[in-house]
Amino acid sequence: MIFVGLFTPLHGTATIGEAIAELASDDRIAFTMVGTGQDYERCRELAKPNPG
């Protein structure tokens, strides 16, 4: 999955971060997120359980 954006609340990056964390055990899925913005740090924190 690739996300390119400004990490604004309307982009749903917090939801994407949660999904990344939930998929931590599925190594068939790779994530690439490009950009920075308002929800950048929150998204990273939510996705943290996924080391990939």
Side-chain angles (χ1 to χ4, degrees):
M1 179 185 97
I2 291 182
F3 168 87
V4 178
L6 297 175
F7 285 78
T8 64
L10 291 175
H11 288 161
T13 52
T15 302
I16 295 170
E18 290 171 349
I20 290 171
E22 286 191 33
L23 294 167
S25 64
D26 191 342
D27 57 0
R28 299 172 299 162
I29 302 172
F31 299 94
T32 302
M33 298 197 62
V34 179
T36 60
Q38 183 179 354
D39 284 348
Y40 176 76
E41 291 298 327
R42 177 161 167 71
C43 179
R44 286 182 56 89
E45 189 62 35
L46 290 168
K48 202 174 201 174
N50 188 331

